[in-house]
Amino acid sequence: MVELPAGMTFGKVECVKDWAGAAPQGPKAGDGVYLFHYTAGTGWKYYGEGSGYDCKDLGLTVPAPFCISDSAPATKKPTTKPATTKPATTSPSCPSVNMLESLVELPKGMTFGKVECVKDWAGAAPQGPKAGDGVYLFHHTAGTGWKYYGEGSGYDCKDLGLTVPAPFCISD
């Protein structure tokens, strides 16, 4: 679902109810987790990356190892749901808004505007009441299809392997 930076892997995945958290491991790993949410009918989606998630904001009334709770410390009895995956898109053609929205869980009230593609990269700016100036970036890899890469602004086109200008990155 996500493309991790070079040299990074996921360690243990911990699940509580319909949430899963996975801490990245590698030479530049921080203290955050990648968070995924399961919704019936659409399956697992990337939710966000970071630390300090509040369990109440996630709708969890029980402690979880990937969020902060006012209740007792998290127990180490996660339940594991089998991940449901959709077939990978094998075509590098520019994905639709709906396809990209199926890969991530956008904050409530947000949608993607126009999708802009350059080579095997796609950028989509979120639209809604709390939208910032960043974009969600997706990368296409043969065999695995489109995956979430990151969200933010100021991507360097050279770091993405692009030698041509793209609307979602900065080039010299």
Side-chain angles (χ1 to χ4, degrees), residues 86-95 99 120 140-147:
K86 297 179 181 178
T89 304
T90 55
S91 168
S93 61
C94 196
M99 195 286 222
D120 53 358
H140 185 275
T141 305
T144 59
W146 288 101
K147 288 187 176 183

Side-chain angles (χ1 to χ4, degrees), residues 20 36 46 55 60 69 82 101 157 168:
F36 302 88
Y46 169 80
C55 293
L60 291 174
S69 174
E101 286 178 349
C157 292
F168 45 77

Side-chain angles (χ1 to χ4, degrees), residues 80-171:
T80 305
K81 287 185 184 180
T84 57
T85 57
K86 297 179 181 178
T89 304
T90 55
S91 168
S93 61
C94 196
S96 69
V97 166
N98 290 339
M99 195 286 222
L100 294 183
E101 286 178 349
S102 76
L103 296 177
V104 296
E105 184 169 328
L106 292 169
K108 190 173 186 172
M110 302 280 273
T111 60
F112 283 138
K114 183 171 95 174
V115 176
E116 298 181 279
C117 296
V118 176
K119 296 192 177 187
D120 53 358
W121 292 94
Q127 296 181 339
K130 295 182 181 177
D133 64 350
V135 297
Y136 281 66
L137 194 58
F138 300 85
H139 188 226
H140 185 275
T141 305
T144 59
W146 288 101
K147 288 187 176 183
Y148 169 81
Y149 182 80
E151 64 185 275
S153 59
Y155 291 106
D156 187 324
C157 292
K158 290 179 187 173
D159 291 344
L160 302 177
L162 293 174
T163 56
V164 295
F168 45 77
C169 61
I170 302 165
S171 59

